[in-house]
Amino acid sequence: MTQKNDQTAHIEPVRLSIKSSFSFKCHPGVSCFTECCRGANIILTPHDVIRLKNRLELPSDEFLAIYTEPHLLEKTDLPVITLKHLDDDRDSCPFVRDDGCILYDDRPTACRYYPLGVASLQHREGADDDGFFFFINEPHCKGFEEECQWTVEDWRQDQGVDLRDEANAEWTDLVVHKRSFPPNIKLTEKAKQMFFMVSYNIDNFRSFVFDSTFLQRMPVDEATLENLKTDDVALFKFGVRWLKSILFNPRKPEETTGNDAQ
Ligand code: SF4
Ligand code: SF4
């Protein structure tokens, strides 16, 4: 998933594999403590939004309105969201305080990966779309001067991103798949709205599933249905499978995509 920092931030183009090793440690004693929580553009994954809105006890639409900004993801034309900065002189994250992150246990995936980035959503001209890792190489980050050895694999496990990546896996596949579409194949506005709702506005998607004719068109067994009523992550995964069926259904492309060439 995309990481901290603006798309224009300089990023060391060193490709890391899961077995690559590096030295890094972040702790309250470093001179740069919380520097990385200021002036960063943090793209949120769907799983991040679920964790954050539940932590803050907000409906997903309120969380989106208060804390996020929408964008279009380069090369995909798909909507993504970033955490909104505070209106202070350092563009601080709304959740940072002098003694650290107030929702550390539920911090976004990008914050957990840092100082690593993941290529899957951080597309750049000329890069391939396979998942790989790289350093977000910010001069202010002193964590690289600490003596603590990691492999990328160990870091992911330590930070809990392996589990989060698993929860987002089918969604990430869908985004990467969309990127491989020819540029003249575009999603309709309605398709983009559906993508946004499933990805980020899970409470609205629940209403859409249960308060419309959705279940008449897409029957679900009783046990699954009960689960979808209360489990946001299960509902999100269900939604992604539905999105795949409507966005990339080769039999009905005209219903969900517009083709400039037609
Ligand atoms: S969510 Fe927490 S860890 Fe991430 S930038 Fe904000 S304060 Fe820092
Ligand atoms: S800049 Fe680097 S070392 Fe400093 S707080 Fe952030 S991650 Fe830790």
Side-chain angles (χ1 to χ4, degrees), residues 13-39:
V14 175
R15 195 178 174 124
L16 305 171
S17 76
I18 198 83
K19 297 292 181 193
S20 297
S21 61
F22 61 100
S23 183
F24 184 82
K25 189 174 181 184
C26 178
H27 57 92
V30 287
S31 59
C32 54
F33 191 57
T34 74
E35 280 296 313
C36 51
C37 302
R38 328 254 179 196

Side-chain angles (χ1 to χ4, degrees), residues 83-145:
L83 261 184
K84 206 185 270 183
H85 299 149
L86 287 180
D87 190 17
D88 63 6
D89 57 359
R90 302 187 66 195
D91 287 338
S92 303
C93 171
F95 306 123
V96 69
R97 303 291 182 271
D98 288 344
D99 57 352
C101 177
I102 57 171
L103 35 72
Y104 188 78
D105 292 344
D106 294 300
R107 67 197 186 284
T109 307
C111 306
R112 291 167 180 270
Y113 260 113
Y114 194 86
L116 301 181
V118 185
S120 51
L121 291 190
Q122 195 89 5
H123 182 82
R124 276 179 169 60
E125 210 59 59
D128 65 41
D129 289 328
D130 293 338
F132 64 89
F133 308 92
F134 54 85
F135 288 127
I136 296 172
N137 199 19
E138 294 185 306
H140 62 244
C141 181
K142 305 298 181 198
F144 291 104
E145 296 171 10

Side-chain angles (χ1 to χ4, degrees), residues 203-240:
D203 293 326
N204 271 23
F205 182 53
R206 182 171 282 113
S207 300
F208 179 70
V209 168
F210 288 98
D211 301 339
S212 74
T213 55
F214 182 94
L215 291 170
Q216 291 167 20
R217 288 174 280 120
M218 190 157 171
V220 178
D221 68 73
E222 269 307 313
T224 304
L225 210 52
E226 282 308 305
N227 200 26
L228 298 183
K229 283 179 184 168
T230 55
D231 187 329
D232 286 346
V233 175
L235 181 64
F236 161 64
K237 289 182 175 180
F238 168 81
V240 171

Side-chain angles (χ1 to χ4, degrees), residues 72-73 75-80 171 174-196 199 242-249 252-260 262:
L72 281 179
L73 186 64
K75 286 273 184 181
T76 68
D77 205 28
L78 288 174
V80 292
W171 180 85
L174 190 150
V175 172
V176 171
H177 182 53
K178 172 67 180 66
R179 187 179 292 141
S180 67
F181 273 32
N184 62 328
I185 303 290
K186 296 190 186 306
L187 297 180
T188 62
E189 283 309 308
K190 187 177 177 193
K192 280 190 237 179
Q193 285 167 12
M194 292 293 141
F195 176 87
F196 188 91
S199 302
W242 171 68
L243 276 181
K244 274 186 177 170
S245 74
I246 63 162
L247 299 186
F248 303 130
N249 183 346
K252 300 181 183 176
E254 72 284 358
E255 289 183 6
T256 51
T257 62
N259 186 337
D260 292 350
Q262 286 178 344

Side-chain angles (χ1 to χ4, degrees), residues 20-25 144 146-152 154-155:
S20 297
S21 61
F22 61 100
S23 183
F24 184 82
K25 189 174 181 184
F144 291 104
E146 303 278 317
E147 287 187 14
C148 190
Q149 285 292 322
W150 299 95
T151 63
V152 171
D154 291 343
W155 181 254

